Amino acid sequence: MAAFLARRLVQSALILLGVSFVTFVLLYALPADPVRQIAGRSATAETVENIRRELGLDRPFIVQYARYLGGLLQGDLGRSYLQKTEVAELIAARLPATLLLMLGAIIAELAIGLTMGIIAALRRGTATDTSLMVASFVGVSAPQFVVGLLLLYVFAVQLQWFPIGGYGTLAHLVLPALTLGILGAGWYSRMMRSSMIDVLRQDYIRTARAKGLARRRIVLRHALPNAILPIIAMIGIDIGIFMGGIVVVESVFGWPGIGQLAWQAIQRVDIPIIMGVTLVSAFAIVLGNLLADLVTPFIDPRIRIR
Amino acid sequence: MIAARDVAEDTDSTGAENVATVLSVEALGISVRTEAGLQPLVSDMGFALRRGETLAIAGESGSGKSITALAIMGLLPAPAVRVTGGRIRLGETDLTTLGERALQTVRGNRIAMIFQEPMTSLNPVMTIGTQLIEAIEAHDPLPRVEARTRAIAALQAVRLSEPERRLGQYPDELSGGMRQRVMIAMAIALRPDVLIADEPTTALDVTVQREVLDLLRRLQRDLGTAIILITHDMGVVAEMADRVLILRDGRIVEEAPVARLFESPRAAYTRELLNAVPRIGSGAVQTARARPTGMPVARVQDLSVAFDLRGGIFGRVTHRVHAVEGVSFEIHPGETFALVGESGSGKSTIARALVGLVPFSGSVEIAGQRLGAGRHALRAVRRAAQLIFQDPKAALDPRMRVGDLVAEPLVIHGIGTPAERRGRVANLFERVGLAPADADRFPHEFSGGQRQRICIARALALEPRLIIADESVSALDVSVQARVLDLLRGLKDDFGVAYLFISHDMAVVENIADRVAVMYLGQIVETGSRDQIFRDPRHSYTRRLIEAVPIPDPTHVRQPVDRPPSEIPSPVRRIGDPPNRRSLISVGHGHLVAE
């Protein structure tokens, strides 16, 4: 176990190093000039050059990256070009909101997706099955900003069950979490359906029936834990997919998380913030996968961590 | 019901007349719904099962044995397959009229069933204890402590060591034989009136099969349970059954007491079936060749194969699976050399090493080419030695025409023009008993036996010196198996090819081999001519293997072996702790035995 964790930590560090390098290269190659954004349109060429020198942006790429990496190793994510605040502080202030949103989305997608998948598998080939799978297809293919706006219009504007936007109470969380979770729910319902159908065909399900167990127990106790195993690994990957959705959803609902921060930073080419958010996201994905791997042995005794 | 059960325990007369009928099947019909309408799977099935007797239902695949059993359990794969007529009576109840809920109270309680595949029949994510206890609690609302006590008692009844510890274990911690014991414990825990055993030992090694059969017989004597034993193995029928039902294409061909059936089978099909059964001790169909001289086709010296297991922070090798350990043998032209042994003994690993599919140490020489002497030698070896596997369906690409599959080795080795290849394929098809016109069809259009013939044709395409047949007839029905064995024998003479014949089936090996090597835990424990091994086995393991084979003769009296269930020790060992090599000692005329 300790060996496993140690190995995974080393791997994680390498992944983060790779992500930081690739992102840095991409941002360096970007045609947009951050200095122009800071200096404003009317600045003289001299002012621009001064700012460029001040930020070290006139140095060769390797030097810039080395300096960034040096700071990173000391836990320094740099300073925002425009807000003149530590990036770490900006992210720390907004991270809890994003984590809350992600947690809500995971709960939403699992609750909706797994239920749909189980019902579809048990009613395989019926009209229920078909309608559920059509619904899941819509969930997978609908763009998140459309889903978000639709939910907003129906539940916030028309029915007024939930607030239109903002942050603070549980009611604020429902619509953004749903919007973010619907995509995953679509995926999970399909995966769960095929996984469940596969499990229901297994010999041990026949054994369970031969024992005279009630259908409920067979489904919940025998089939479900086996069917959910391949899904758990997916939850880890999901966090990565969420990161993309978070930028959209947080903007639509005015949710004060790092997605919003990233969106503003991208518009202003505020490179340190973009770098910081990217690294934090990558860290979250790595952590999510690690957690998924750590949870699996509790459900499946055949998997042992070595 | 309690009273009835007490009576049952006192009755030890098996198969006696005028004993109460527990279960009767009358004019049962089962059909499957297909695109072409309802297709009958079982027609006009009828039999009565008496208390305490064992009724064997025997027949080849597709005869409707398992479907009949599932119908009794109410476990037919609905809605596609269903009962279309007749009755299944358990006491006064007609099971075919019961709904799912009512059936739940019968299943596991009054009729229990064990299945063929012990490896997959238990839920991998639940402990043995949970699975056993829930079976008891489903029918008997006992306090948990009491249910647990009953579960432990059931595990003791099937002679599983350390029953209390087993309750906390998961299925993957137990071997196949142990899992089948757990299945039996689950089935008998509630003392059902009827136990249906569907090929209960087919997936098990022969020595384990012996133990499970002994166990079933003893339990029946102790509990008076009536058993329906479904099997394709006439040896198992002879040893276990009181009465036999022979099935073919969903109909009863013959019903008879076991002694009468083997002595004077009435139906032509029964005779055919019994004749096809390979019998141990009956010698070979033809006499074994004298040991040939000259250049061997295969020369294997000190072959070892070990697989590394990694662990620790740096993923270093901590353990090794010693799959094959210091094995040496030679195969001569035109000879059939058999490797026998139970699962995990390293037989298949040797086959893979011989064609360079696994890394090994030691020396392997095929048709004068040394493996490991570069790509050229590897290619030559892979031309001179061809493999035939156990499952022909898995060995044939379902999307290729079988003619192309047979021609593929010629294409790979760049032999002949397309026209020449077609001619060769047609010849090969004829030679293995298929029509040349079949070459344009796809694998799924053939039966299992025909598919294996296609695999044999493919193996012959390159005119190899050695054919490695890895359990190549094990998955086939006996009548098909007999014909494929005949074919292999004929081809040996025509093509002058030698066989490395790998099998777990002692009777088949005795039937076809010239020389035999018995493997145990990756090493050869005894080797010699067929007669030396079967007439004069010297090693205790060889004797155990031979004695364990069920004999298709109900008059054969077997001494019950009353020893604790055995488990083959693990070939996984720590680094720096290699297994002991057994050295072989000659007892004369090429007969070698491990110390």
Side-chain angles (χ1 to χ4, degrees):
Chain A
M1 182 74 185
F4 171 82
L5 279 178
R7 210 163 58 229
R8 286 295 292 260
L9 282 176
V10 173
Q11 282 174 4
S12 306
L14 288 176
I15 291 170
L16 291 178
L17 187 69
V19 169
S20 76
F21 181 75
V22 171
T23 321
F24 209 87
V25 169
L26 286 174
L27 290 173
Y28 183 80
L30 213 61
D33 185 358
V35 182
R36 282 263 165 232
Q37 293 284 333
I38 303 165
R41 275 169 216 271
S42 55
T44 60
E46 201 186 337
T47 321
V48 168
E49 279 320 302
N50 277 337
I51 296 173
R52 196 182 302 281
R53 207 169 313 123
E54 211 175 292
L55 294 174
L57 293 175
D58 56 337
R59 315 287 294 271
F61 169 78
I62 286 299
V63 178
Q64 288 189 34
Y65 181 61
R67 276 173 59 183
Y68 184 79
L69 210 59
L72 198 61
L73 288 177
Q74 294 162 32
D76 181 8
L77 288 171
R79 258 168 189 279
S80 160
Y81 288 163
L82 295 163
Q83 303 187 30
K84 306 290 177 201
T85 326
E86 290 288 329
V87 172
E89 272 173 37
L90 286 170
I91 291 178
R94 284 159 170 263
L95 198 57
T98 297
L99 289 179
L100 182 67
L101 178 57
M102 291 216 287
L103 184 71
I106 290 181
I107 292 171
E109 68 178 0
L110 287 181
I112 300 171
L114 298 191
T115 315
M116 277 171 71
I118 293 169
I119 294 173
L122 292 177
R123 305 232 185 288
R124 192 185 174 195
T126 65
T128 317
D129 179 18
T130 317
S131 0
L132 283 173
M133 284 306 105
V134 168
S136 95
F137 196 73
V138 172
V140 170
S141 41
Q144 262 163 342
F145 66 92
V146 175
V147 175
L149 290 176
L150 211 69
L151 288 177
L152 260 182
Y153 182 72
V154 176
F155 293 103
V157 177
Q158 292 294 323
L159 297 171
Q160 301 197 346
W161 290 357
F162 300 106
I164 287 182
Y167 176 70
T169 68
L170 202 60
H172 284 100
L173 177 63
V174 174
L175 291 184
L178 264 178
T179 309
L180 198 54
I182 271 179
L183 176 73
W187 281 118
Y188 283 137
S189 61
R190 292 179 163 255
M191 280 182 59
M192 191 64 191
R193 176 178 179 273
S194 61
S195 176
M196 195 76 182
I197 286 174
D198 186 50
V199 167
L200 287 173
R201 253 190 244 132
Q202 297 298 312
D203 288 346
Y204 53 80
I205 298 297
R206 187 183 53 186
T207 306
R209 294 186 67 199
K211 284 196 278 196
L213 298 185
R215 194 176 154 81
R216 240 179 101 83
R217 186 172 173 91
I218 294 174
V219 171
L220 295 180
R221 199 72 180 76
H222 283 260
L224 190 58
N226 283 289
I228 213 166
L229 283 171
I231 311 267
I232 290 175
M234 283 298 294
I235 300 177
I237 297 168
D238 242 22
I239 295 172
I241 299 171
F242 280 161
M243 280 299 170
I246 269 171
V247 175
V248 177
V249 173
E250 288 188 350
S251 301
V252 170
F253 290 93
W255 189 265
I258 60 170
Q260 222 180 39
L261 183 68
W263 179 234
Q264 291 160 3
I266 290 166
Q267 285 171 318
R268 298 175 194 163
V269 206
D270 200 338
I271 290 176
I273 295 184
I274 302 176
M275 280 299 294
V277 171
T278 310
L279 284 177
V280 168
S281 314
F283 181 71
I285 294 167
V286 167
L287 196 69
N289 277 305
L290 182 62
L291 284 177
D293 286 350
L294 289 176
V295 166
T296 312
F298 286 100
I299 299 180
D300 190 345
R302 288 168 298 181
I303 296 169
R304 293 190 184 95
I305 287 179
R306 246 205 305 263
Chain B
M1 200 148 64
I2 301 294
R5 284 180 179 169
D6 289 341
V7 173
E9 278 165 49
D10 295 336
T11 323
D12 68 359
S13 60
T14 46
E17 295 301 322
N18 62 43
V19 178
T21 295
V22 216
L23 180 85
S24 69
V25 172
E26 294 157 25
L28 183 68
I30 303 167
S31 296
V32 61
R33 201 195 302 150
T34 65
E35 283 163 22
L38 276 183
Q39 298 285 328
L41 294 174
V42 167
S43 326
D44 201 26
M45 172 73 55
F47 59 85
L49 181 68
R50 304 184 195 109
R51 196 164 290 283
E53 84 167 336
T54 298
L55 174 71
I57 301 183
E60 300 189 300
S61 44
S63 62
K65 334 182 274 287
S66 293
I67 285 289
T68 306
L70 290 176
I72 295 171
M73 291 296 285
L75 287 178
L76 287 177
V81 180
R82 58 197 177 85
V83 171
T84 45
R87 276 188 289 199
I88 300 169
R89 269 214 278 230
L90 178 70
E92 289 310 304
T93 330
D94 181 359
L95 297 182
T96 59
T97 62
L98 293 187
E100 179 66 21
R101 268 186 195 275
L103 274 171
Q104 278 169 14
T105 64
V106 174
R107 286 185 204 136
N109 188 22
R110 299 192 57 202
I111 309 180
M113 185 159 177
I114 51 180
F115 300 95
Q116 174 170 355
E117 286 298 336
M119 302 314 274
T120 54
S121 288
L122 291 167
N123 193 328
V125 306
M126 290 168 77
T127 61
I128 302 296
T130 314
Q131 297 188 57
L132 243 171
I133 290 168
E134 73 172 357
I136 295 167
E137 287 178 340
H139 301 288
D140 226 342
L142 295 170
R144 180 54 58 92
V145 187
E146 227 168 287
R148 196 183 138 86
T149 316
R150 286 267 286 274
I152 292 173
L155 288 180
Q156 276 163 344
V158 297
R159 301 208 173 175
L160 211 52
S161 59
E162 305 177 78
E164 290 197 38
R165 192 165 72 87
R166 303 293 175 211
L167 291 184
Q169 284 183 312
Y170 287 92
D172 70 310
E173 297 172 62
L174 307 185
S175 69
M178 287 159 84
R179 290 188 213 185
Q180 198 60 306
R181 280 168 198 279
V182 171
M183 287 293 292
I184 296 173
M186 224 180 249
I188 57 146
L190 289 156
R191 301 210 166 179
D193 302 320
V194 179
L195 174 64
I196 303 175
D198 188 357
E199 303 273 11
T201 57
T202 307
L204 301 176
D205 278 324
V206 62
T207 55
V208 183
Q209 160 170 298
R210 168 93 283 120
E211 287 159 8
V212 170
L213 291 180
D214 285 346
L215 171 70
L216 279 175
R217 209 178 301 120
R218 196 174 51 76
L219 288 172
Q220 182 179 44
R221 201 180 52 217
D222 295 351
L223 306 176
T225 317
I227 295 181
I228 296 178
L229 178 70
I230 292 167
T231 181
H232 71 285
D233 185 332
M234 296 309 281
V236 172
V237 170
E239 289 201 4
M240 301 290 294
D242 299 309
R243 272 190 312 135
V244 188
L245 230 52
I246 303 284
L247 255 55
R248 186 190 201 182
D249 298 333
R251 288 176 184 277
I252 297 176
V253 174
E254 183 163 3
E255 179 182 355
V258 69
R260 217 274 286 130
L261 185 94
F262 280 85
E263 200 183 277
S264 53
R266 291 199 182 129
Y269 177 69
T270 312
R271 281 196 292 277
E272 217 174 279
L273 200 61
L274 288 173
N275 283 336
V277 176
R279 279 155 212 261
I280 200 163
S282 64
V285 175
Q286 56 185 30
T287 50
R289 294 160 177 261
R291 201 170 180 195
T293 47
M295 198 43 193
V297 178
R299 185 184 279 152
V300 175
Q301 263 163 358
D302 206 24
L303 174 71
S304 295
V305 181
F307 302 104
D308 294 340
L309 297 180
R310 292 171 189 280
I313 300 185
F314 305 106
R316 268 183 314 206
V317 177
T318 54
H319 289 72
R320 260 195 197 124
V321 186
H322 292 264
V324 177
E325 188 69 24
V327 164
S328 307
F329 59 84
E330 284 181 356
I331 305 174
H332 297 272
E335 181 183 48
T336 302
F337 180 73
L339 283 177
V340 289
E342 299 187 288
S343 47
S345 62
K347 314 181 293 282
S348 294
T349 308
I350 291 181
R352 286 159 61 199
L354 255 50
V355 288
L357 290 175
V358 286
F360 59 87
S361 66
S363 128
V364 172
E365 223 174 87
I366 310 269
Q369 295 285 342
R370 220 187 114 109
L371 259 187
R375 297 186 62 83
H376 182 74
L378 181 65
R379 207 173 161 81
V381 164
R382 286 188 177 161
R383 186 170 167 176
Q386 293 293 316
L387 278 160
I388 309 172
F389 299 98
Q390 172 165 4
D391 182 358
K393 191 172 182 188
L396 297 170
D397 186 332
R399 277 153 223 246
M400 278 172 80
R401 294 179 193 279
V402 295
D404 294 338
L405 283 165
V406 173
E408 201 176 27
L410 299 170
V411 177
I412 291 170
H413 288 267
I415 297 165
T417 63
E420 283 166 5
R421 283 184 213 133
R422 267 196 299 279
R424 188 118 157 221
V425 168
N427 274 338
L428 287 166
F429 266 66
E430 244 164 60
R431 193 56 203 83
V432 299
L434 296 168
D438 286 341
D440 287 334
R441 294 162 67 193
F442 287 93
H444 71 263
E445 299 176 61
F446 297 88
S447 70
Q450 286 173 326
R451 283 195 207 113
Q452 198 59 294
R453 283 167 194 269
I454 294 166
C455 290
I456 293 171
R458 177 169 62 180
L460 287 169
L462 290 169
E463 296 181 346
R465 305 281 311 278
L466 176 70
I467 287 184
I468 301 170
D470 189 356
E471 299 279 9
S472 301
V473 298
S474 308
L476 305 175
D477 279 324
V478 277
S479 59
V480 181
Q481 184 184 65
R483 289 198 290 272
V484 172
L485 285 173
D486 274 341
L487 173 68
L488 287 175
R489 220 177 275 118
L491 293 172
K492 184 172 81 168
D493 298 337
D494 295 0
F495 287 76
V497 62
Y499 292 117
L500 173 60
F501 192 88
I502 294 172
S503 180
H504 71 284
D505 188 330
M506 298 298 280
V508 167
V509 165
E510 194 193 18
N511 181 288
I512 194 167
D514 299 313
R515 283 192 306 126
V516 181
V518 180
M519 295 213 44
Y520 178 75
L521 266 182
Q523 301 192 33
I524 291 178
V525 295
E526 184 164 4
T527 179
S529 71
R530 180 191 63 220
D531 289 347
Q532 285 165 345
I533 298 294
F534 285 91
R535 300 267 160 81
D536 184 23
R538 298 292 180 90
H539 197 273
S540 59
Y541 180 70
T542 313
R543 284 200 208 115
R544 243 176 75 200
L545 269 185
I546 295 173
E547 277 163 18
V549 178
I551 309 278
D553 175 7
T555 58
H556 176 88
V557 181
R558 179 184 298 282
Q559 295 307 317
V561 202
D562 205 28
R563 58 190 166 71
S566 57
E567 295 300 330
I568 290 186
S570 164
V572 180
R573 303 184 72 99
R574 255 177 197 293
I575 287 295
D577 174 29
N580 285 330
R581 294 264 178 114
R582 298 155 190 266
S583 46
L584 294 168
I585 294 167
S586 172
V587 292
H589 306 286
H591 190 175
L592 305 177
V593 185
E595 314 171 80

